[in-house]
Amino acid sequence: MRLHPGAGPRQELQAGVAGKMSAQCPEPGPGESQGQSPGPGRQCPPPAPPARWSLPRWRAYVAAAVLCYINLLNYMNWFIIAGVLLDVQTFFHISDSNAGLLQTVFIGCLLLSAPVFGYLGDRHSRKATMGFGILLWSGAGLAGSFIPRQYAWLFFLSRGTMGTGSGSYATIAPTVLGDLFVRDQRTRVLAAFYIFIPVGSGLGYVLGSAVTALTGSWRWALRIMPCLEAVALILLILLVPDPPRGAAETQGEGSAGGSRSSWFKDVRYLGRNWSFVWLTLGVTAMAFVAGALGFWAPKFLLEARVVHGLQPPCLQEPCSNPDSLIFGSLTIITGVIGVILGAEVARRYKKANPRAEPLICASSLLAAAPCLYLALVLAPTNLLVSYVFLALGELLLSCNWAVAADILLSVVVPRCRGTAEALQITAGHILGDAGSPYLMGLISSALRARRPDTYLQRFLSLQQSFLCCAFVVALGGGCFLLTALYLERDWARAWQPGTGTPDSKDVDSKDLERQALLSGTGASTEEP
């Protein structure tokens, strides 16, 4: 076999292999058809690889825009009930304690459904699974707006169904983006995707209260959302592809070969992937603090305002709390700025340091810890300075959401990404924002029980219960530092050629260095 003059060693090797295989498996002889098995002693080459999968760049960006729009609607659904909570309580005669269960049921169903959707997303059509989730949450939201007042339990059921649908999208959408973009492009797209978490959360409050004020009924807030979600479903069907897993990293060939492993083997692989383990613990610490701040910060700031004499104490409902609007605005602004800033710094710094992403996450959390501490301890003496440090703490916390998602996509084999997202979501909610508001309230109540029943002491009890957030943020920074120790090793294992779920056996360190070097220069990681 002859090669063209510019052929290199790899082409020569491939030609030699092809020639050898031709000798081992010649053309079919008499009585043998093309697809018939060869006779004894003859070997045939493996089947030809599948055709490359490709997508124009503009189509990929259009798909990303659609996924960002759906993410906006997803997080609006998380908090739209909070904007009309008093009206819902009055209509269904729900107490404050039971009203809190509305969000608990939503998150609880999301937690239960996330592993299921992660399993389906790794093995079946991700586009169909996301479409099913959108139909589920929009249908449940619309049905919830027609429930009579005597059937409050059905309204709780509708919120749980909405949480189930939300679990499908939150689990699968980042993996689709990971297969459409790579390197700097993926970092920027994930930043845009995660910007819509704080924006959607804030718009959920605004839409709920604004529609209720315009129509005179909280039900219309739930009836407008399905119209927006119907548009999202149509756009998903028409404009969002379902790329092969790992298509971006392998230039359209999809993930490496290997048989589809079981869910338990995927979980075992993730448990041995130390980058994923420490990353998940770091994200859980972030979720813990974000959940506590989102629930208790408006009340804490209101009580600080009373301590300063700027507002009389609320002794009878309803209570006017301007700090809810102020804190909500801070959350949106710092969230947008933080996500963009974190993604851009990571994009630039990782060109010089391959461990840049976990180091940036660790640095921002370790810097956020003293900011949150100062915001809490200065609240009784200087409320304005407390606001400044609280905004800085939220900004530093927001720097990590998109960067952490990018780390997960880079250290986990493509075929396990849905399961990895599901496990991280489950751990982050169970150990993070699902329990932190309750824990803060429990600590505050325990401190108040030992003190005089005065307004100042109630405020100090809540302030001191909040201090554990600064400690948890620092622990999260430590988890990201440990992620940096294992990042390059687990990245190389995730892109070992010829594996589906990477083998648990150690890879030679020289091979890992070679793979990392080849990746940095844009060459293929396959060895001759």
Side-chain angles (χ1 to χ4, degrees):
M1 180 176 294
R2 300 186 64 179
L3 299 175
H4 60 84
R10 180 183 296 273
Q11 288 84 350
E12 293 175 0
L13 179 62
Q14 291 173 346
V17 172
K20 182 179 179 181
M21 294 174 69
S22 298
Q24 292 175 342
C25 189
E27 293 297 322
E32 293 182 1
S33 63
Q34 185 69 31
Q36 187 175 347
S37 300
R42 297 173 59 193
Q43 299 180 9
C44 283
R52 289 177 180 268
W53 186 89
S54 61
L55 188 73
R57 178 172 296 184
W58 69 268
R59 281 285 310 278
Y61 280 110
V62 168
V66 173
L67 294 176
C68 288
Y69 169 64
I70 302 174
N71 200 38
L72 174 72
L73 300 181
N74 183 25
Y75 278 90
M76 287 176 68
N77 273 312
W78 276 60
F79 294 100
I80 194 169
I81 289 297
V84 295
L85 185 58
L86 184 58
D87 300 273
V88 172
Q89 286 184 264
T90 304
F91 183 83
F92 287 111
H93 304 289
I94 300 175
S95 64
D96 287 345
S97 58
N98 288 332
L101 285 176
L102 285 170
Q103 195 72 349
T104 301
V105 169
F106 183 94
I107 294 178
C109 290
L110 186 150
L111 294 179
L112 293 175
S113 66
V116 176
F117 286 119
Y119 176 89
L120 295 175
D122 280 341
R123 290 157 177 82
H124 303 286
S125 170
R126 292 178 288 187
K127 186 173 176 177
T129 306
M130 288 189 293
F132 172 76
I134 295 174
L135 280 175
L136 194 62
W137 90 54
S138 61
L142 182 62
S145 68
F146 293 98
I147 295 174
R149 66 178 69 245
Q150 63 267 29
Y151 295 107
W153 63 273
L154 279 177
F155 191 73
F156 281 85
L157 180 62
S158 72
R159 284 296 290 171
T161 307
M162 291 180 71
T164 302
S166 179
S168 72
Y169 189 77
T171 302
I172 297 174
T175 70
V176 176
L177 291 175
D179 289 332
L180 290 175
F181 301 93
V182 71
R183 297 188 179 90
D184 289 354
Q185 291 179 350
R186 184 165 70 191
T187 301
R188 288 170 174 165
V189 170
L190 286 174
F193 183 79
Y194 281 95
I195 279 174
F196 289 97
I197 293 180
V199 173
S201 303
L203 287 179
Y205 287 102
V206 173
L207 181 68
S209 57
V211 171
T212 302
L214 289 173
T215 63
S217 173
W218 62 271
R219 293 169 174 267
W220 283 103
L222 297 182
R223 293 170 185 170
I224 288 178
M225 287 300 298
C227 299
L228 302 175
E229 289 152 357
V231 175
L233 182 60
I234 295 172
L235 293 176
L236 175 72
I237 294 172
L238 296 179
L239 300 177
V240 178
D242 190 359
R245 285 133 182 102
E249 289 89 348
T250 53
Q251 291 79 45
E253 292 181 344
S255 58
S259 60
R260 174 69 259 174
S261 60
S262 69
W263 184 81
F264 294 100
K265 288 183 179 179
D266 289 351
V267 173
R268 184 174 63 180
Y269 154 65
L270 293 172
R272 296 175 178 176
N273 186 325
W274 287 106
S275 294
F276 171 77
V277 171
W278 290 115
L279 172 69
T280 299
L281 292 176
V283 170
T284 299
M286 291 161 50
F288 182 96
V289 177
L293 286 175
F295 193 84
W296 288 111
K299 177 178 172 60
F300 173 79
L301 295 170
L302 172 65
E303 293 189 352
R305 188 182 295 272
V306 174
V307 169
H308 283 275
L310 302 175
Q311 184 170 328
C314 179
L315 303 177
Q316 185 177 1
E317 295 181 355
C319 298
S320 175
N321 186 2
D323 293 286
S324 294
L325 179 60
I326 296 173
F327 182 75
S329 301
L330 280 179
T331 300
I332 294 176
I333 295 171
T334 58
V336 171
I337 297 174
V339 170
I340 295 175
L341 181 63
E344 188 62 20
V345 172
R347 185 186 70 83
R348 294 175 181 271
Y349 184 35
K350 67 183 178 183
K351 293 179 180 178
N353 187 345
R355 300 179 180 181
E357 291 174 317
L359 291 177
I360 288 172
C361 292
S363 301
S364 62
L365 289 188
L366 292 174
C371 289
L372 292 178
Y373 177 81
L374 291 173
L376 295 173
V377 298
L378 293 176
T381 57
N382 194 320
L383 189 58
L384 179 60
V385 175
S386 177
Y387 264 115
V388 171
F389 279 109
L390 181 62
L392 285 175
E394 282 204 291
L395 177 68
L396 291 167
L397 199 65
S398 299
C399 287
N400 299 330
W401 294 112
V403 180
D406 201 7
I407 296 173
L408 182 145
L409 294 174
S410 66
V411 299
V412 174
V413 73
R415 291 183 176 181
C416 294
R417 283 175 177 171
T419 300
E421 290 280 357
L423 292 179
Q424 189 171 97
I425 288 172
T426 301
H429 286 303
I430 290 179
L431 302 177
D433 54 0
S436 60
Y438 175 73
L439 180 61
M440 298 298 99
L442 191 66
I443 296 174
S444 178
S445 298
L447 294 174
R448 284 176 57 183
R450 302 180 180 181
R451 296 176 176 178
D453 188 16
T454 65
Y455 203 91
L456 176 60
Q457 292 302 321
R458 289 200 297 269
F459 167 74
L460 292 176
S461 298
L462 182 58
Q463 177 203 43
Q464 291 165 12
S465 70
F466 245 137
L467 291 176
C468 71
C469 287
F471 177 71
V472 172
V473 165
L475 282 180
C479 291
F480 279 109
L481 287 177
L482 291 171
T483 304
L485 294 178
Y486 297 95
L487 181 72
E488 292 179 284
R489 186 196 69 178
D490 290 330
W491 180 91
R493 286 179 173 177
W495 299 109
Q496 239 180 293
T499 58
T501 300
D503 198 297
S504 59
K505 296 178 181 180
D506 290 334
V507 183
D508 185 78
S509 60
K510 293 182 179 179
D511 291 338
L512 298 183
E513 292 174 2
R514 183 164 55 252
Q515 290 179 20
L517 178 61
L518 289 172
S519 172
T521 59
S524 171
T525 57
E526 294 185 7
E527 290 295 324

